[in-house]
Amino acid sequence: MRAPLGLGRTRKMSNNYNDVPFGIRMVQRLSRQCCTRFHARRDLLYKMSVFVLTFLAYACYHMCRKPISVVKSVLQGNCSTTPATAGQDCGYPPFDGPDATTLFGMMDSAFLFSYAIAMFASGFVAERVSLRYFLSMGMILTGVFTYMFGIARTSNIHSLWYFILVQICAGIFQTTGWPGVVALVGRWFGKSKRGLIFGIWNSHTSIGNILGTLIAAHYVESDWAMSFVVPGIIIAAVGFLLFLFLVDQPEIVGCYPQTGQQERRVANESDQEDHGDDEEQIRHNDACVVSLGYGSSETEINYRSAPTERTPILARSASQQPIHQRGHGRPISLIDALYIPGVVEFSLCLFFTKLVSYTFMYWLPLYIQSSITLGPQLSADLSTLFDVGGILGAIAAGYLSDVSGMSATVCTGMLFIASPILLMYQQYGALSLTISIFLLIVVGIFVNGPYALITTSVSAELGQHSCLEGNANALATVTAIIDGTGSIGAAVGPLLAGLISTTGWQNVFHMLIVADIIAMVLLGRLVIKEFSALRRSSHRIRIE
């Protein structure tokens, strides 16, 4: 049976390594034997499985990043000022000296800089291999290095370079997560209500942070090694689950999800005439694919014709070559991706928004303990409210982006509100526990909202920009560029916080406010373009 045009290459590749996962084959076999009367939209079931598995996967990635922020207060404990209780550590060398915050900053930077640098290579690799193997391997190895950080205590390892090396390796393998999961969701889900879908889906970041904090807080005062060992085991187990059940391409199970009107449209009228008979045969064959049990009659099928010499080229491409000359559906280069309108602006904006978010992520428990004088466990528990606000902010930003169609304006508005909220938290957060709880949630909403929108919906939209002519394989590269640039900011933020905090926490907050203002300014050109487009649209409606 003939494959649809433009998909023959994918089907051929699926015979090599994009095979149907073992777990899916077992489920299909059981359903044929035990549930012969059960009828369901198989494409919907596959979408649900991808949604849930990618959600769990990235929640686990973030879960493994949080223990270090919780354990810092115990690693630098000093029994000369605070009497030790039974079973409590008096710090852990080499972090029990007066330079503890500097050493913590070095460790955070080792992880985050390696993460930022490796992210660009990770997106390049993700487009060229099976994402099921890519994510599974990355999660298992992330679990190994998270586990290795914890066993330093039981093995009595006190070398700073051991901890730095473990953090570097963990950062490298953590980069397998984001390009992989965003590319998967981009392949399976269309553009309808993408902001809201990604906003809900992106709550995995905050859920993972909360789980990592709660697990680490449970063990931090008794045995901080378990704060790393338990998350390491969990992420490795979920990685194996992905290996068994993750379907990384719709085509390998006979699904052709809706990807928008432009994907079903023929390139131009002349191509439609040239391939008219060919398309009729393709439609007939595609209908056979559906009727043979790969989906219901409601399944969307891609009728896109093969690219021709008239196919538009990538906008402002450095090589100025038509996409079909590079191979339809093939990955694009990093240089080509930078020419996609909006990629540079949103990448630089994410540099500063992620700087703010990750400074909170790595230093908030320690700041709460020093400002409100709570214990390590209570400080860690209270810090999870920042991530609760992050869930609300991600959903709100995605919904507003869907309603308005103005992603840059939504981000700018939230950043504008975030700056005074940060100043309020620094000034009044320590007055009472109630005020601190309220302000932490509000800060989480406006700090994490733009960060979540840019890394999910905006990245997916730019990765499937109209200038790419339906080349969905560009998504991982665009995502890696945006998140990789943001990750450099994520590395710089905690490092600066560790250095500046010695002069007073108020200076750290001033740095975060300046970063928010710069992020807002960087989106100014895109905001102007969005309002100009809105005015032109309103004027056209009035004329009609």
Side-chain angles (χ1 to χ4, degrees), residues 3 22 84 127 148-149 167 217 239 252 279 300 322 327 398 405 456 459 476 516 533:
F22 176 78
E127 291 180 350
M148 287 178 64
F149 197 106
Q167 287 289 82
I252 67 174
E279 288 190 9
E300 292 286 346
T456 53
S459 295
D516 261 341

Side-chain angles (χ1 to χ4, degrees), residues 102-122:
T102 302
L103 298 183
F104 289 146
M106 290 175 61
M107 274 206 312
D108 294 342
S109 297
F111 174 87
L112 292 168
F113 275 113
S114 64
Y115 179 89
I117 295 170
M119 177 61 72
F120 296 97
S122 183

Side-chain angles (χ1 to χ4, degrees), residues 193-200 392-405 410 453:
K193 296 185 178 179
R194 170 176 281 168
L196 182 59
I197 290 173
F198 270 116
I200 296 172
L392 301 176
I395 295 174
Y399 176 75
L400 291 173
S401 176
D402 279 342
V403 171
S404 65
V410 172
L453 183 62

Side-chain angles (χ1 to χ4, degrees), residues 29-309:
R29 194 171 303 160
L30 289 173
S31 65
R32 285 195 297 266
Q33 294 175 355
C34 306
C35 307
T36 55
R37 296 186 178 181
F38 177 74
H39 299 284
R41 286 186 56 185
R42 295 192 181 185
D43 61 326
L44 181 60
L45 293 178
Y46 284 124
K47 285 183 179 181
M48 290 175 59
S49 70
V50 169
F51 188 93
V52 172
L53 289 174
T54 52
F55 185 97
L56 290 175
Y58 209 69
C60 288
Y61 277 107
H62 264 263
M63 176 184 65
C64 291
R65 300 180 194 179
K66 281 298 291 183
I68 184 64
S69 65
V70 176
V71 171
K72 283 177 180 176
S73 59
V74 173
L75 294 180
Q76 71 166 358
N78 189 347
C79 293
S80 62
T81 57
T82 305
T85 59
Q88 183 181 2
D89 292 328
C90 296
Y92 189 84
F95 307 107
D96 56 347
D99 60 344
T101 55
T102 302
L103 298 183
F104 289 146
M106 290 175 61
M107 274 206 312
D108 294 342
S109 297
F111 174 87
L112 292 168
F113 275 113
S114 64
Y115 179 89
I117 295 170
M119 177 61 72
F120 296 97
S122 183
F124 183 84
V125 173
E127 291 180 350
R128 291 159 173 81
V129 300
S130 167
L131 291 178
R132 178 163 67 96
Y133 290 100
F134 186 69
L135 281 170
S136 300
M137 179 200 70
M139 294 180 73
I140 291 172
L141 290 174
T142 296
V144 168
F145 287 104
T146 304
Y147 181 89
M148 287 178 64
F149 197 106
I151 63 172
R153 182 180 188 273
T154 56
S155 301
N156 202 30
I157 298 174
H158 297 280
S159 170
L160 175 65
W161 290 108
Y162 171 85
F163 292 104
I164 290 179
L165 181 61
V166 168
Q167 287 289 82
I168 289 174
C169 293
I172 291 172
F173 289 109
Q174 281 261 354
T175 61
T176 58
W178 194 241
V181 296
V182 172
L184 281 167
V185 175
R187 289 177 184 178
W188 278 95
F189 292 88
K191 295 184 178 181
S192 177
K193 296 185 178 179
R194 170 176 281 168
L196 182 59
I197 290 173
F198 270 116
I200 296 172
W201 177 75
N202 192 64
S203 62
H204 53 43
T205 299
S206 297
I207 294 292
N209 289 340
I210 292 171
L211 288 176
T213 301
L214 294 178
I215 292 172
H218 181 74
Y219 295 106
V220 66
E221 294 181 358
S222 58
D223 183 5
W224 62 261
M226 297 300 293
S227 298
F228 294 91
V229 170
V230 173
I233 293 174
I234 292 174
I235 191 174
V238 175
F240 183 68
L241 186 68
L242 260 68
F243 177 77
L244 293 178
F245 293 101
L246 182 65
V247 180
D248 60 356
Q249 288 199 31
E251 292 82 6
I252 67 174
V253 289
C255 294
Y256 301 94
Q258 180 181 356
T259 54
Q261 288 298 112
Q262 66 193 39
E263 290 297 309
R264 296 193 299 272
R265 191 178 61 231
V266 181
N268 52 48
E269 292 180 1
S270 60
D271 293 338
Q272 189 172 11
E273 294 172 1
D274 294 339
H275 299 284
D277 296 335
D278 215 17
E279 288 190 9
E280 289 300 323
Q281 181 64 32
I282 291 168
R283 290 177 180 174
H284 173 73
N285 290 338
D286 286 346
C288 294
V289 171
V290 174
S291 65
L292 285 173
Y294 288 111
S296 70
S297 59
E298 297 177 8
T299 303
E300 292 286 346
I301 300 174
N302 192 334
Y303 296 145
R304 185 180 181 81
S305 67
T308 69
E309 67 277 3

